Amino acid sequence: MGNEKTDWMIYSDREMSVMSTQEEKVSFKELIKSLGMTQKEFSETFGIPMGTLRHWISGDRECPVYTKRMLAYMVELKRLEAKRDEDGE
């Protein structure tokens, strides 16, 4: 395994797990879909300019790794919050 660094990342719609930095492939389409949001709603919720988000989705520009990690974490928190509200907790 060498000097691989691991971080908590979302790797599916239903769970969080540890991924190595070599495996990091956060799909913005999947993140947005997992919240049931439109691109515009995602942009407004997380304060990301629409142009920037579209460039990340299309692959024209690379999102910084630290931003991917933060967004994956924030998306997971949002999904857990929505689930908790759904369950009436």
Side-chain angles (χ1 to χ4, degrees), residues 12-13 18 20 23 32 34 41 47 55 58 61 77 81 85:
S12 78
D13 189 41
V18 176
S20 75
E23 296 171 333
I32 294 166
S34 75
E41 291 169 333
H55 283 293
S58 70
R61 293 189 193 148
L77 290 178
E81 180 182 290
D85 291 346

Side-chain angles (χ1 to χ4, degrees), residues 21 65 68-69:
T21 53
V65 173
K68 287 180 186 179
R69 289 183 194 140

Side-chain angles (χ1 to χ4, degrees), residues 28 32 38-58 61 63-64 67 70-71:
F28 284 98
I32 294 166
T38 64
Q39 289 180 11
K40 185 175 194 274
E41 291 169 333
F42 189 87
S43 167
E44 290 171 355
T45 300
F46 295 104
I48 302 166
M50 272 300 297
T52 300
L53 183 59
R54 286 186 179 139
H55 283 293
W56 290 345
I57 291 169
S58 70
R61 293 189 193 148
C63 175
T67 302
M70 178 204 56
L71 284 170

Side-chain angles (χ1 to χ4, degrees), residues 1-8 18-24 69:
M1 203 174 304
N3 290 335
E4 284 184 20
K5 182 176 183 241
T6 56
D7 291 291
W8 284 96
V18 176
M19 291 179 62
S20 75
T21 53
Q22 291 179 345
E23 296 171 333
E24 280 178 2
R69 289 183 194 140

